[in-house]
Amino acid sequence: MIERSPRGHISLSTLRDDYRMEYGTQIQCRKMTNWIGTSNLIGTRNFAGTNDRIAYSLVKPPPRSAPSNEFFAAMSGVEEANILQMIRESEHGHISLSNLRDNYKQAYGVILQCPKRKMMDWIDTSSLIETRKLGGGTNDKVAFERGRRNGARTSPPPPRPRNDYDPPLPQSQLRAIVEDAEVESAASSYFSTSDDEVIDEEPQISCDDIVAKLMRYAGGCFKPTVVHQQTKALLDILPMHWSDALACIGLDKVSDISLDLGRRPYCWHNHQRQYLCEDTYEVVEEHAIEGIVSSLQGFGDDNRAGIDGQLHRISCIRNNSNGTIGLTIRVGRHIEGNSDMIRDLLEDTDKSILLLGEPGSGKTTIVRDVAKILSQKKNVFIVDTSNEIAGDGNIPHSCVGDSRRMMVKSLSSQADTMIECVQNHTPEVMIIDEIGRKREVEAAQTSKNRGVRMIASAHGDLRSLIKNKDIRGLIGGLETVTLGDTEAKDLQKKSGSKSIQKQLTTRATSPIFEIIIELKRGRLHEWHVVTNSAKAVDDILLGEKYEIQNRMRCMSSGNIFVEHIKN
């Protein structure tokens, strides 16, 4: 509401009513000023010249003076971007205010919504542009890029959209500034077991540059994701009264349907349990489970089955006699545009990417869209255990684009199928949904050594992955080295430890996956991206925090925000 307001702030006296009119809910707060004070993005203050108190954005505060009778709106994001482009493309690194309106209309076909005599005050609302007198005996005033008072010309930024889209605020204002300290350690030489291995110390890319690159791949304008789910085939295999109950609940936010013999049927809707029958005495009976199982093509060795041509997954629970006593139905979806958050990592580099997260954090959904994007230019193969990624049936689902799919008979043969794929089909990119066993780590290493780019997922996060003996080879593995007396003393001085440590745990070799993406259940539009997994692992082993890019997406507009933080 603050960002959409023309003055850049909203009055506290009318905030409660305005919020209820716009969003249909009541703000549960009595002391408004104290309540807003708990936010780190919004602040309050008395508005000079009035008795009113306002709420404003701490990211981009409005002018402190009261509005005049000739009030004008603050500079919008698209106007700011376009004027900054004109400044950077100008010969002297600045533009004159006297003919700014005419030049802007000639360049972009629209008129600046600001009186000419108020031009300086209007530009002062920008955080990227400022004004000054030109000097040299003239009374003219010029606009130039903030921080470049001498007017040095810079290279022009990437093309900006020239439509009604209003890009997000500058990321330099949205992110918290993190002071990066270089960690010096006498043990740093032990973090490479090969003379050929070099940890890439790439310069940190600014958040603005990342967002600009993502916007360029998005066609100049971010768009919200589109969810595709085919629920008719799923409802057809269920008893009619359960299907009707699911339709009333709404399948858009249903993740799982749980059917246990002798218990009430229910589903998980928006992380809450919703029963499929109002009668507390109605339970799942054996004939209902048998009816569902009979409509499927049979369960594999992993007790999973699917519906032909669909992304839904049905898993069974068996008793000691191998009879089916329960079903878990996972609702499959394809989210178009889901991988836009990492489009730069997919297009600009050939580094392998590992997605880490809890069950239900969206790993498989991301992998589907990644497969579709990469298959436009690369020979992509999906090693599809249980047909989890490309759906059930002989024909892969359209959500994976032109990717080819190799089915895996059982979990125990996934590693063999990965090697077979490399040997027989010359893939440029190999995609695996879940790596959870040591043999699969070895197969991934073999594929990587043969020049195949790997895209895979695994459970957990980076710190827990380091503790997992079976699969920590994905990020280089661990080994213990013994330090000499001199090196141990130097390490003690550097770390400030009271005791001398002669044994040190280090990374054994180069990671298979250079990029790590950490996901959290319930936070589907916030991803932690680690662009240098080798350095992150080394930092963790030294007891330090590691650098991540926190990438966030607005669900309604599709706008993407990036900030550098340490985890």
Side-chain angles (χ1 to χ4, degrees):
M1 292 170 63
I2 292 173
E3 290 177 348
R4 291 196 303 269
S5 65
R7 296 176 173 86
H9 63 76
I10 51 180
S11 170
L12 296 190
S13 59
T14 60
L15 174 59
R16 193 186 303 272
D17 294 335
D18 293 343
Y19 189 92
R20 185 174 63 250
M21 291 178 60
E22 181 156 354
Y23 297 104
T25 58
Q26 183 74 32
I27 294 179
Q28 301 299 321
C29 169
R30 293 183 179 180
K31 297 183 178 181
M32 192 69 67
T33 302
N34 295 340
W35 179 65
I36 292 180
T38 61
S39 169
N40 59 357
L41 296 178
I42 308 172
T44 62
R45 68 165 185 249
N46 290 324
F47 198 42
T50 71
N51 292 324
D52 198 6
R53 193 162 183 83
I54 61 169
Y56 64 95
S57 171
L58 294 176
V59 172
K60 190 173 183 179
R64 298 192 68 89
S65 59
S68 64
N69 293 332
E70 296 179 315
F71 178 79
F72 52 86
M75 183 184 296
S76 68
V78 68
E79 290 171 334
E80 184 178 55
N82 291 339
I83 293 175
L84 189 61
Q85 175 107 356
M86 293 170 62
I87 292 172
R88 292 179 175 177
E89 292 177 349
S90 65
E91 181 179 358
H92 302 291
H94 60 74
I95 51 178
S96 171
L97 298 189
S98 58
N99 52 15
L100 173 60
R101 286 167 57 86
D102 295 335
N103 292 341
Y104 190 95
K105 181 180 179 181
Q106 183 177 357
Y108 299 102
V110 294
I111 300 176
L112 292 175
Q113 299 301 316
C114 171
K116 188 172 182 179
R117 61 183 178 275
K118 293 285 187 178
M119 191 67 69
M120 285 190 68
D121 295 336
W122 180 70
I123 290 180
D124 285 341
T125 63
S126 168
S127 62
L128 300 179
I129 307 171
E130 57 183 331
T131 60
R132 62 176 170 86
K133 289 186 177 181
L134 184 59
T138 69
N139 292 323
D140 198 6
K141 298 180 179 63
V142 295
F144 60 99
E145 186 175 356
R146 190 174 294 273
R148 295 184 177 272
R149 192 168 181 82
N150 293 330
R153 186 177 180 183
T154 61
S155 58
R160 299 278 185 161
R162 296 181 181 179
N163 52 26
D164 294 336
Y165 169 70
D166 191 359
L169 291 172
Q171 299 298 313
S172 57
Q173 296 181 12
L174 290 175
R175 67 178 181 266
I177 299 176
V178 179
E179 295 293 334
D180 297 328
E182 293 294 331
V183 179
E184 297 181 0
S185 173
S188 60
S189 60
Y190 292 97
F191 281 87
S192 175
T193 58
S194 170
D195 294 336
D196 297 331
E197 184 194 3
V198 177
I199 299 178
D200 295 331
E201 291 290 346
E202 299 176 355
Q204 190 179 71
I205 304 176
S206 70
C207 297
D208 290 334
D209 291 340
I210 295 173
V211 173
K213 192 178 296 185
L214 293 173
M215 183 179 290
R216 187 165 65 249
Y217 280 121
C221 177
F222 289 127
K223 300 175 183 177
T225 57
V226 180
V227 180
H228 301 278
Q229 61 178 14
Q230 299 168 315
T231 57
K232 184 180 184 302
L234 180 61
L235 296 177
D236 288 344
I237 68 172
L238 298 174
M240 184 174 296
H241 60 291
W242 292 353
S243 299
D244 294 340
L246 283 169
C248 294
I249 294 172
L251 273 167
D252 290 344
K253 294 185 178 181
V254 171
S255 58
D256 295 277
I257 302 169
S258 301
L259 307 175
D260 293 312
L261 188 64
R263 293 186 174 181
R264 295 177 66 189
Y266 63 88
C267 68
W268 288 103
H269 178 268
N270 200 20
H271 307 290
Q272 293 183 345
R273 191 195 308 265
Q274 297 280 348
Y275 288 100
L276 304 185
C277 55
E278 296 182 0
D279 186 358
T280 57
Y281 294 101
E282 181 179 348
V283 296
V284 178
E285 297 181 358
E286 190 172 351
H287 67 82
I289 293 180
E290 291 177 352
I292 296 174
V293 172
S294 63
S295 63
L296 306 175
Q297 297 180 358
F299 292 97
D301 295 339
D302 56 355
N303 288 322
R304 291 181 177 181
I307 304 173
D308 193 11
Q310 304 293 315
L311 299 174
H312 312 299
R313 186 187 76 194
I314 298 95
S315 304
C316 71
I317 301 174
R318 299 186 184 275
N319 59 17
N320 294 334
S321 302
N322 207 34
T324 303
I325 58 173
L327 296 174
T328 300
I329 302 174
R330 170 69 63 88
V331 180
R333 296 177 176 88
H334 164 49
I335 302 181
E336 183 180 350
N338 199 19
S339 62
D340 288 350
M341 288 250 275
I342 54 170
R343 193 69 180 270
D344 57 326
L345 304 179
L346 299 177
E347 302 275 5
D348 294 348
T349 179
D350 288 328
K351 293 181 179 180
S352 297
I353 301 175
L354 178 65
L355 291 91
L356 295 176
E358 309 156 293
S361 57
K363 299 186 298 295
T364 304
T365 309
I366 297 171
V367 165
R368 291 185 183 121
D369 202 50
V370 168
K372 182 177 182 180
I373 296 298
L374 292 179
S375 67
Q376 296 173 1
K377 300 179 181 178
K378 301 286 185 179
N379 182 23
V380 178
F381 262 83
I382 300 173
V383 177
D384 203 0
T385 306
S386 307
N387 296 339
E388 181 83 2
I389 300 176
D392 209 46
N394 294 327
I395 302 175
H397 196 277
S398 59
C399 68
V400 297
D402 294 326
S403 300
R404 303 179 71 186
R405 188 255 299 272
M406 291 189 67
M407 297 185 185
V408 181
K409 295 179 180 179
S410 63
L411 287 174
S412 59
S413 61
Q414 178 168 300
D416 296 332
T417 307
M418 292 168 63
I419 299 300
E420 178 188 345
C421 177
V422 176
Q423 292 175 339
N424 294 350
H425 304 288
T426 62
E428 295 177 89
V429 181
M430 184 188 300
I431 295 178
I432 311 102
D433 185 35
E434 288 185 10
I435 293 181
R437 287 152 290 276
K438 194 171 184 177
R439 290 188 65 239
E440 294 159 14
V441 177
E442 296 171 352
Q445 182 68 70
T446 301
S447 303
K448 175 81 170 182
N449 293 342
R450 298 187 185 186
V452 179
R453 185 183 187 185
M454 308 297 294
I455 309 291
S457 66
H459 290 297
D461 55 27
L462 184 54
R463 293 184 185 273
S464 64
L465 181 61
I466 293 176
K467 300 176 183 178
N468 191 325
K469 294 181 180 180
D470 291 337
I471 62 173
R472 63 188 177 197
L474 298 173
I475 40 89
L478 301 181
E479 67 178 5
T480 301
V481 297
T482 302
L483 305 179
D485 293 339
T486 304
E487 294 161 337
K489 291 179 181 179
D490 290 341
L491 178 60
Q492 180 193 19
K493 292 179 181 179
K494 294 290 185 181
S495 62
S497 176
K498 294 182 180 180
S499 60
I500 296 178
Q501 183 180 357
K502 299 202 67 174
Q503 285 193 329
L504 190 67
T505 301
T506 66
R507 179 171 48 85
T509 186
S510 300
I512 301 174
F513 295 89
E514 297 90 349
I515 297 174
I516 305 291
I517 299 176
E518 295 180 300
L519 307 170
K520 294 291 184 182
R521 183 190 295 135
R523 298 161 67 178
L524 301 180
H525 296 276
E526 182 177 354
W527 304 354
H528 287 181
V529 178
V530 181
T531 57
N532 191 336
S533 62
K535 186 176 185 303
V537 171
D538 293 348
D539 289 341
I540 292 174
L541 294 176
L542 285 172
E544 304 288 342
K545 293 184 177 182
Y546 58 96
E547 297 177 358
I548 64 173
Q549 296 174 7
N550 188 27
R551 302 193 178 193
M552 299 162 286
R553 174 170 49 206
C554 176
M555 294 179 59
S556 58
S557 66
N559 291 344
I560 296 175
F561 307 92
V562 181
E563 60 179 351
H564 290 293
I565 62 176
K566 287 196 173 186
N567 188 14

